[in-house]
Every structure is written in C-alpha cells, then in structure tokens.
Amino acid sequence: MLSGGEHVTRNKVVVLDFGGQYSHLIVRRCRDLGVYTELVPFDVPIEVLKSDRIEGIILSGSPFSIHDHGSPRCDPRILELGIPVLGICYGAQLIAYLKGGVVEAGKKSEYGRTELYFSRDSALFQGLNDEGRLNVWMSHGDVIRELDGAEIIGYTKNSPVAAFRISNIYGVQFHPEVHHTDRGEKILWNFLYTICGCERNWTIESFVRDTIEEIKRQVGDGRVVCGLSGGIDSATTAVLVNRAIGDRLTCIFVDNGLLREGEKDEVLKTFRDELKLNVVFVDARERFLNRLRGVKDPEAKRKVIGELFISIFEAEANKLNADFLAQGTIYPDRIESARAGSGKASRIKSHHNVGALPAKLGLKLIEPIKDLYKDEVKEVAEELGIPRLIINRHPFPGPGLAARVVGEVTDDKLRICREASHIVEEELKRSGWYYKVWQAFAVVGDDLATGVMGDARRLGRIVTVRVVESREAMTADFVKLPYDVLEKISRRITNEVRGVTWVTYAISSKPPATIEPC
Ligand code: XMP
C-alpha cells in the first residue's frame, strides 16, 4: 500500500522520516534483522497506517528541535493506534512533547559516546548485560526533563529521561541504529521481536521466492519486455522476470555507440549464453552518433540520447506484442523522487527509467526490485547466479561515454575516452583498487597540450583521470591513489592511446564538482 503499485503484501514496520541523517540506516538495520521495513514521510496520513499491515512504528531523528518554528510533527493520533512505537532522538522528544512532557531547549547537549544506565527488566533492554550500563551514541541539543506518567527506563549524566516507556510506546534519546551504540542491534531486535511481535519475513531467499510468485500472478499469460543496460539493476530485474515466466520475457539491448570497451560482447555473452535470456540486440551506433554531431551542451546531449533510445525501444517493443514493461527501479530512486516530487532523482535516472513509455505503449509496469536498497540488489543478484562481473561492475551513466566526452562527441574523442577508460579500469583491477572505489574512468575534451613524440613537438589531447569514492553518489571524494598507480596509468595512456600527450588527475570532490564531467 505505502509503496504504491502492486506488490506482495507483507507485514511491516514503518520508519517515519523526520529528516534525520540516520533514517535510512534504521530501515537497513531492521531489514538486516529480518523484518520488512519501509521509510515513509513523517506526515503520512493516519488512514494509510491503519489500513496497512503495520506491526511497529519508529519515529526517526531530525535536524530540527521541536521548539523550532515549522518543525516536523506527525499526526498525534499515531500514539493512540495501539501499535508499538519507538521514538529515536527527535522522535523520542516529539513523543514526550505530545504527551505533555517538558523538553528543554539546548541547555545540556550531548554528542558522542555517553554512558547510559538502563533498567535491565525493561523489554527494550532485556538481555543487554548484567551491569545495567552501556555506551550509547548521543547527538542532541534538547533534553527531555520530565515526562509524567512514563516509566523512566534509562538515564545518562545529562539526560534524566534518556529512555522511557508509556504502555507500548518507547522513546530513546540515543541512536541504537549506529555502530557506536553498544548492543544497539539487540535493542532494535527487542523492539521488533519482543515488543512488536514481528515474524522474520525478510530474507533474500524469501524475497526471491515471493517476488517470482508475485510476477507470475501479475503477468498471467502475458508477455514482458525489459531494457537491458548491462548494469546490475536491469540484470536482476530481467533474471527475476525470466525465472517467473521463462521465454515470455524479451530483453532489448541497444548499442548506442557509447558503451565501454568490450561491453557489448560481455552483455550478450552473459545474458544470452550464460543466463539463457531472450535478447533482441539493436545496433544503433550510427543513428546515435549521427544525431550527436554538432551537439555540445551536456543537457542537449542527454536529451538527444534519451529521445532516440525511447524511439528505438518503442519500435522494438511494438514488434513484440508485449503487455508489460519490466523496469529496474530501486528503493532510493523512489524515495528520492517522492521527496523531490518529480525532481532530481527522476531526472538523473531519466535514461533508464523510461518515464512516460509504459503509458505511451499501453504497457503495464512491473518493478520487481523497487523495495530494495543497492546492496540488497547485489545480494539478490548473487542468489540468482548473476555473474560477478555484472554485480561488481562500477555504475555507468545512461548517456554512456557521452557524459565523459566534454563538448561534441566526435569519433576521435570517443575512441580516446573508451581506450583510456579501459586502461584506468585495467590498472585499478591489477592494483586491487577497482573494487574499493565507486567509479573510475577517463575524460576527454577539446583541450590540447604539447608533447614530444620522437624528436618532434606535437599538440595532442589532454585526458583527465577521475577516480572517486562515494556512497550512493550524492557526495563523492576523489581517491588518493598511490603515485605509482597514477604513474602507470598516465604512462600507458600516453603510450597506447593515439593522440594523447598529457594526463591529469581530477582532485575535485562532489560538491562542488559532480562525478561525471558533463
Ligand atoms: P553526477 O555526475 O551527477 O553523477 O555526480 C552521480 C551518479 O549518477 C550517474 N549519472 C547518471 N546516470 N543518467 C544516468 O543513468 C545520467 O544522465 C547520469 N548522469 C550521471 C553518475 O555516473 C554517478 O554515478
């Protein structure tokens, strides 16, 4: 219900997101403990919570103080539903405030590890240790001073009400979801299993089994098309659908001329030969490269590529008489688009998530991995036997190498970008860095610099190497690669890639830079 669209209805726990930095982490921890958990906006209508199969509600932290004008509030009737609630940090202060307690603004802040004295016979803290003392992670300015009618089950030096219980409503001032809190996982376990009475319903095996059943039910005797990009999300989607309906799934793989070295052959070999999927291959290299001639602006390039991709996909899908389109949308895409309206996330993914296409083609949409985080997708991919080459490959943007060729995409710049990127990847694999970094590639633009080739001075291209570490690409840092790895990359690029005289290393982080140059 909360996720929208059709999907297996599972019992679940929801985390109301007040904007805290750890909101996603709470969801991840609960899922890791085996309970299906979703992040929902803090102002989710109470009717939605009532109509869903919700076994527990967690209120997250927030950058706000409850005394701030316009600070986020949930519907107070959530506390009257009879469903167990756990408030964390701001969530605990909000419960205290709504229950008429005294929350003091910013007098005795606590940041970092703090000693908590807890009552060992509380259901939330049972089985932690015999001492009744624990190091916990605090990060708050406001303090709950008094809360009449509550049982105080924990306190610290500066927080007289660091943990409390009112019937089956609990609040903790600290963060059990972060690793710095000792036994934080056990505290969440106690909430989920002892207090909420959840059943273990979230394992990768059960996800695969349930999802395949669900796809069978949804598709019936219908036919499905799926665009393959060679990346893990579309691969996992395709294999799940294939397991459900066999060769009534047809995948479409378009070579737009902007793929990495060897990528076309690898994708075809993996999906056709190893995974035995039905793949229609479309060689559209010339069409894309012709359309891109003279186009210099990054957004204009994206638009050309996106539109052409859609028209090719549409033409192929029409031939197949399909009823459904399978798409590899994942959980963070949906959360981001929900937060930003039809904002940034949907724009970033515009190439893969071929937005209006289903309606235009009269296709129904299936998104089998739409509830998964990226590392859960990896686990599912492993469970499905998708080769590691696909699973561990770096993310690659929809517009392909066009995002790494600055200015007009010419044959020569494209060749340089492809060959130099291949060298970067190869050297990182050899030195063991490839799997430690988020993305690694080469960039080429129109800048020239002088080199000496034999005895002659000659102008050649400047190639910029970009290697970044990141979590989910929202921010990124350049990787401090050892000089000898950089030197080897540089030497190989100038020796092996015709027309390159200089190699530079991009040392800008995101923000203010982006990962891709255009
Ligand atoms: P930026 O360059 O915005 O990239 O820091 C963040 C992440 O998104 C990828 N990216 C794209 N993916 N279509 C995509 O499917 C695009 O137009 C696009 N632009 C950037 C990029 O590779 C990085 O992982």
Side-chain angles (χ1 to χ4, degrees), residues 302 344 347-352 395-399 403-404 438-439 441 472-474 510 513-518:
R302 277 198 165 76
K344 200 163 176 289
R347 186 174 61 75
I348 286 173
K349 288 273 180 175
S350 58
H351 187 52
H352 289 308
F396 191 55
R404 295 166 183 183
W438 174 262
Q439 274 173 311
F441 52 87
E472 308 289 346
M474 300 306 282
K510 173 182 179 174
T514 51
I515 295 176
E516 307 287 350
C518 51

Side-chain angles (χ1 to χ4, degrees), residues 439-480:
Q439 274 173 311
F441 52 87
V443 173
V444 67
D446 294 310
D447 290 338
L448 303 175
T450 307
V452 270
M453 304 283 190
D455 289 333
R457 289 166 72 83
R458 227 182 56 193
L459 272 181
R461 298 266 176 206
I462 300 176
V463 160
T464 298
V465 174
R466 182 107 170 106
V467 184
V468 296
E469 53 199 358
S470 173
R471 289 196 57 164
E472 308 289 346
M474 300 306 282
T475 61
D477 284 315
F478 80 91
V479 175
K480 282 96 189 157

